[in-house]
Amino acid sequence: MPIKSLGDPFKPETDLRHGAECGCGDCRATAAAHVHAADASREAMLERAVESAIVRSVFGHNELNRRSFMGMVGGTTFAAALASVLPLDKVKAAILDELGPPEKPDLNIGFVPITCATPIIMAQPMGFYERYGLNAQVIKTAGWAVARDKSLSGEYDASHMLTPMPLAMTLGAGSVAEPYIMPAVENINGQAIVLSNEHLDKRDPQQWKGFTFGVPFEYSMHNFLLRYYVAEHGLDPDTDIQIRVVPPPEMVANLRAGNLDGYLSPDPFNQRAVWEGIGFIHTLTKDIWEGHPCCAFAAPLSFATELPNTYGALLKAIVDATQYASDPANRKEISEAIAPTNYLNQPVPVIEQVLTGTYADGLGEVKVVPDRIDFDPFPWHSMGVWILTQMKRWGYVEGDIDYKAVAEEVYLAADCKKIMEDLGYEAPDVTYKSHTIMGKTFDPMAPEAYVDSFEIKRA
Amino acid sequence: MKSLSLNQRAALLSLLILAVGLLLWEAAIPAQKAAGELTQYELLTGGGAPKAGVPPPSEIFAKAWEQLSNPFYDAGPNDKGIGIQIGYSIYRVLSGYLMAAAVAIPLGFLIGMSPIAYKALNPFIQVLRPISPLAWMPLALFIIQDSEASAIFVIFICSIWPMLINTAFGVAGVRKDWVNVARTHELGSLKTAFTVILPAAAPTIVTGMRISIGIAWLVIVAAEMLVGGTGIGYYVWNEWNNLDLTSVIFSILMIGVVGMALDSAFGVLQRAVAYAE
């Protein structure tokens, strides 16, 4: 069976669009251009996928541009020209073959000191980077905007980021457009809505009119989940409440000072508010969307193309650490490894409550929620599409978005799957699935209809 | 008491104020109650453990002793001793500051000597001078693409204005008689600049330099809090991250001490160039 998206990207008549209307006569006439079952071995398919992704990104996903250009200069000429600037073979080799020694073993990896970064951080003290021949330093960063700027400037080779950030950076929303890739998710769940102890009696979101909330960054799951949560309760996040960007470490101090009534933030700052006796945990984000993505491991596209072996080794180290962190039996050991000043700089019991899920909620109860935070590296394309629908919904991006094309360009599920299988973990065969968020089903195949289905929206 | 000089008496009074202040502070902080048997909930909320709060001075002294007895330890890129952090900050301040001096003093000289240059450049100076150094930070990060160089640039841009304006003011204010005397002695203009104008304007120039170093030290802490990595500003941010006020107060004191040392160095220089008319 021919797979359209795996057609030869260097031929003008090939249509690489996913789910584009199939011009059937065209299809049959150029049947030779399609990949047939005969050569659709796994390797060949992956190779084609890489080629296709690169060619499509060169033309900014504009099919018409690509086709007319190929028709004009001829695919072979273009392939040669592209190969002269981009080591296509090396990129493919990095993904397909056993990796050679890393080209650049000394790496700087940025992180913001929150538990979401657990795999990236623990990989240093627990020797995961070393295991794959890397000498990586993890560098603490004061905030997301600085992490973004230092990644763009090349000071960091790769960085801990929020899952919406590489999408936003690729689209050029809030920064210059720079092709970014996100081959692995760090954590799923692991956030919470915390309210100040002054609001112990205001557990119904409809009483929150006029509240000021903090979120760590505009392009964050925190922002999108908080907006979603209050909107489902009938509040307009832009007019009924105020949402401020506050760096995570400053959340607790702001809650104490009364500058914030609450926040949706990463841990340990939710648990820290309880530990300090300032706030309580209103709801875990896992109860809004069970298994939602949060933070990610991301790098500029150039890192993967220029240093393919290093990229492969680093991704292996991260995926391995992420899988290790997902085992509840390892969580206590990890808490102690990442609590010191050099990493999170927090009391061990606070980190332990977050990672083990046995925690005080600030209301006098001890809760046991083992999957309060979990770690799963697979970057579902459907999650990327959901994030893009929310960016559209709240007006962060305007105009038509090719949701799936952007998600597939940025979220490198194939790389992650390959590495997961190499390391002996099971990876899903599909990259889209439907998600249930507060009881409402999200179908990744109909993103535009999903955006339209909301009553409160900007788009 | 008669036998003590004014200075000695003032020093004694300072010490007395300090001692009384510290005692009051120590007494004002309630002692943390000792923990008895704790339930699981109490343990999870930190039960008997101290909450973040303003610490008594005794704890700060203990912290200072601990930090200063091992100021150069290096436990990874995000955890270095206070000596190393201050070293990074001083290095950044001095690099930016020296670059600023190299630009500002000659340029100030030119502006001071030539009324037309003064009039032409004044609008630019007036617009650029009031810009907060930290407002330059995002632009610097983006253009220079290096956080270290950006921090130095921010120091450069904030140090330059007081030196420039004071130099121009000092040079323009040199008494006309002296310049005229030099002219009657048929001194060349370069010689006039170095032997007459420079010494006469020196006290004003050094005053500008002293103001600049003070501003540079103020700015570096904020810049490092923003960018992170190393330096005393990062140290404060990292401890704030952990709501550890003991360390925060200790580092505030260190910032004050280093700032005072920098300022007194210029105080000495100022006395050296001062002269009686």
Side-chain angles (χ1 to χ4, degrees), chain A residues 37-229:
Chain A
D39 61 295
S41 70
R42 221 177 127 265
E43 264 72 35
M45 276 172 69
L46 258 175
E47 260 190 48
R48 267 291 148 78
V50 173
E51 276 178 4
S52 157
I54 290 168
V55 171
R56 279 186 297 146
S57 67
V58 165
F59 289 96
H61 292 275
N62 187 326
E63 265 301 293
L64 289 177
N65 272 356
R66 186 192 63 82
R67 286 205 211 183
S68 61
F69 188 82
M70 291 299 173
M72 224 155 57
V73 304
T76 331
T77 320
F78 180 71
L82 187 63
S84 69
V85 290
L86 186 77
L88 257 184
D89 291 336
K90 280 196 195 164
V91 178
K92 284 187 235 163
I95 295 163
L96 294 175
D97 304 338
E98 275 308 301
L99 302 168
E103 301 87 347
K104 181 187 174 196
D106 298 315
L107 298 174
N108 285 329
I109 302 167
F111 75 95
V112 172
I114 53 180
T115 44
C116 302
T118 296
I120 290 178
I121 302 170
M122 66 180 255
Q124 192 185 31
M126 299 176 81
F128 284 88
Y129 295 128
E130 253 179 338
R131 190 182 294 177
Y132 297 96
L134 298 170
N135 172 32
Q137 296 283 8
V138 289
I139 314 283
K140 206 182 282 189
T141 311
W144 297 109
V146 177
R148 179 194 61 203
D149 292 346
K150 285 193 173 183
S151 304
L152 287 171
S153 75
E155 215 167 308
Y156 294 155
D157 297 290
S159 180
H160 162 213
M161 280 191 188
L162 298 156
T163 41
M165 283 173 71
L167 294 169
M169 289 162 84
T170 301
L171 289 173
S175 69
V176 276
E178 162 99 15
Y180 245 73
I181 52 170
M182 196 195 98
V185 166
E186 286 300 303
N187 69 306
I188 55 175
N189 301 333
Q191 323 301 313
I193 298 180
V194 166
L195 293 181
S196 158
N197 278 343
E198 280 170 37
H199 303 307
L200 280 169
D201 53 338
K202 297 192 182 125
R203 300 299 303 276
D204 180 355
Q206 305 203 331
Q207 298 166 294
W208 293 356
K209 268 202 176 179
F211 272 28
T212 305
F213 282 94
V215 294
F217 197 64
E218 261 190 299
Y219 301 98
S220 68
M221 285 304 287
H222 311 91
N223 186 18
F224 299 145
L225 287 174
L226 179 65
R227 284 168 171 272
Y228 191 100
Y229 183 79

Side-chain angles (χ1 to χ4, degrees), chain A residues 113 137-138 140 142 146 150 153 155 249-250 256 269 272 275-276 341-342 345-347 353 360 362-365, chain B residues 40-41 43-46 51-52 75-79 142 145-147 225-227 234 237-238 240-243:
Chain A
Q137 296 283 8
V138 289
K140 206 182 282 189
V146 177
K150 285 193 173 183
S153 75
E155 215 167 308
E250 294 163 29
R256 185 207 296 273
F269 299 99
R272 191 71 201 250
W275 176 265
E276 300 294 341
T341 316
N342 196 27
N345 195 20
Q346 293 284 340
Q353 290 183 63
L363 296 163
E365 264 184 74
Chain B
Q40 190 192 7
Y41 186 82
L43 276 173
L44 290 179
T45 48
K51 302 273 182 213
N78 310 308
D79 183 13
F142 193 83
Q145 306 244 317
D146 180 287
S147 58
M225 283 182 92
L226 197 67
V227 178
Y234 165 79
W237 176 82
N238 196 26
W240 184 22
N241 202 5
N242 189 16
L243 303 174

Side-chain angles (χ1 to χ4, degrees), chain B:
Chain B
M1 278 311 239
K2 282 274 165 56
S3 58
L4 293 174
S5 75
L6 180 68
N7 277 346
Q8 284 166 320
R9 275 184 288 159
L12 271 179
L13 189 59
S14 290
L15 281 176
L16 189 69
I17 293 172
L18 181 68
V20 171
L22 288 180
L23 275 175
L24 285 178
W25 180 359
E26 183 84 38
I29 308 291
Q32 302 274 357
K33 55 179 185 293
E37 279 292 296
L38 294 171
T39 63
Q40 190 192 7
Y41 186 82
E42 282 171 327
L43 276 173
L44 290 179
T45 48
K51 302 273 182 213
V54 180
S58 54
E59 268 181 42
I60 297 166
F61 286 131
K63 184 81 197 176
W65 179 254
E66 177 200 322
Q67 286 287 320
L68 292 174
S69 56
N70 185 13
F72 298 109
Y73 74 88
D74 187 346
N78 310 308
D79 183 13
K80 297 182 196 297
I82 188 85
I84 298 182
Q85 306 284 21
I86 290 178
Y88 272 110
S89 297
I90 291 182
Y91 154 73
R92 286 187 192 123
V93 162
L94 289 185
S95 332
Y97 179 79
L98 291 177
M99 274 193 271
V103 173
I105 294 175
L107 196 62
F109 226 92
L110 173 77
I111 295 173
M113 302 269 277
S114 142
I116 182 165
Y118 179 81
K119 284 212 155 81
L121 290 174
N122 197 35
F124 298 104
I125 297 174
Q126 295 310 326
V127 169
L128 292 173
R129 193 174 57 104
I131 298 172
S132 162
L134 291 182
W136 292 102
M137 200 58 167
L139 189 67
L141 264 178
F142 193 83
I143 294 174
I144 304 176
Q145 306 244 317
D146 180 287
S147 58
E148 182 76 33
S150 302
I152 293 174
F153 169 77
V154 164
I155 296 301
F156 168 82
I157 202 82
C158 76
S159 311
I160 206 164
W161 311 115
M163 283 196 270
L164 186 64
I165 292 166
N166 268 46
T167 307
F169 179 75
V171 169
V174 173
R175 278 171 41 189
K176 289 285 161 296
D177 327 355
W178 299 354
V179 182
N180 289 339
V181 168
R183 200 166 289 153
T184 54
H185 282 264
E186 292 184 346
L187 286 179
S189 51
L190 211 59
K191 206 160 185 194
T192 313
F194 277 102
T195 56
V196 179
I197 298 177
L198 187 62
T204 328
I205 296 176
V206 174
T207 306
M209 293 172 77
R210 192 174 176 177
I211 297 172
S212 278
I213 197 85
I215 295 177
W217 187 247
L218 281 182
V219 167
I220 193 68
V221 175
E224 286 169 347
M225 283 182 92
L226 197 67
V227 178
T230 47
I232 187 74
Y234 165 79
Y235 182 90
V236 175
W237 176 82
N238 196 26
E239 295 305 332
W240 184 22
N241 202 5
N242 189 16
L243 303 174
D244 183 351
L245 285 190
T246 315
S247 298
V248 169
I249 295 175
F250 161 67
S251 45
I252 288 174
L253 289 176
M254 291 307 295
I255 293 168
V257 168
V258 175
M260 188 179 74
L262 288 174
D263 190 65
S264 10
F266 278 89
V268 171
L269 186 62
Q270 209 166 22
R271 273 194 293 282
V273 298
Y275 63 94
E277 283 191 18

